[in-house]
Amino acid sequence: MRVVRFVSLTALTWLLAVSFSVVPSAQTPKTDEDYDKLMKAMGATSGSLRKNLAANATDAVAADAKKLVELAKGNVEFWKARKTADATEWATSSLTHATAIEKAVAGKDVAAANENVKLLMGTCGSCHTKYRDKAADGTYIIKKT
Ligand code: HEC
């Protein structure tokens, strides 16, 4: 219930805000709390993208990819500011693949889109293994390294 309440009050506001268009650079995440919102949006958007891609809903995939590119930029900026080289690299790699998905969809290249989705999801896993932790209350936090 705790999670549901959190999602409805905080994450949903964020998701609605980002779903309208591009994330303004003013929303580049700075605090751990900002970052949590970014990651929730990243999870929701990549889930939506994969579902839309499987359903061949090209316009929806294009919109999701555009959103993912903006979220990935925020991810890169966050880790750059925290001077964490490997995380910055994974975030940059996820930006590369999100951009490639956007291009592939624009060119109606489903195979390239699928390939880059796979590569994109790999970058999520690499970073989560090292930097994602679960707090005692079950929520995700940034791992103290
Ligand atoms: C450069 C590092 C990095 C990359 C790349 C990355 N993440 Fe994360 N992610 C994190 C960290 C650190 C956390 C834990 C922080 C938090 O949730 O507050 C996290 C948390 C999450 C959460 C849990 C959010 C919550 O609190 O419920 C989701 C979902 C998520 N990431 C999805 C993704 C997806 C999908 C991708 C790839 C498309 C991705 N992430 C890429 C670092 C990363």
Side-chain angles (χ1 to χ4, degrees):
M1 271 305 109
R2 184 189 193 121
V3 173
V4 171
R5 201 164 61 232
F6 182 73
V7 166
S8 59
L9 290 179
T10 313
L12 208 62
T13 317
W14 168 263
L15 287 176
L16 285 175
V18 296
S19 62
F20 283 112
S21 64
V22 175
V23 183
S25 54
Q27 284 181 12
T28 295
K30 291 200 174 62
T31 64
D32 286 18
E33 202 190 8
D34 292 341
Y35 194 72
D36 191 72
K37 289 177 194 161
L38 176 96
M39 276 303 144
K40 285 191 164 81
M42 203 137 202
T45 309
S46 63
S48 166
L49 185 141
R50 283 188 293 173
K51 217 173 63 194
N52 287 326
L53 190 58
N56 240 327
T58 320
D59 288 353
V61 177
D64 289 332
K66 186 170 180 225
K67 229 183 287 173
L68 265 188
V69 166
E70 293 309 315
L71 294 167
K73 282 181 190 164
N75 200 13
V76 173
E77 291 311 313
F78 179 86
W79 290 106
K80 245 192 214 166
R82 297 209 174 187
K83 301 190 185 348
T84 308
D86 53 0
T88 303
E89 231 168 80
W90 286 317
T92 303
S93 169
S94 72
L95 174 58
T96 302
H97 296 304
T99 306
I101 295 168
E102 205 179 13
K103 276 210 190 98
V105 172
K108 308 245 181 287
D109 188 345
V110 176
N114 276 314
E115 178 61 18
N116 278 286
V117 167
K118 213 170 71 193
L119 295 169
L120 170 72
M121 299 317 289
T123 67
C124 320
S126 301
C127 192
H128 291 164
T129 301
K130 183 156 182 196
Y131 291 108
R132 188 167 76 170
D133 210 353
K134 227 177 199 175
D137 66 359
T139 58
Y140 285 108
I141 52 170
I142 298 173
K143 196 182 278 179
K144 304 287 172 256
T145 50

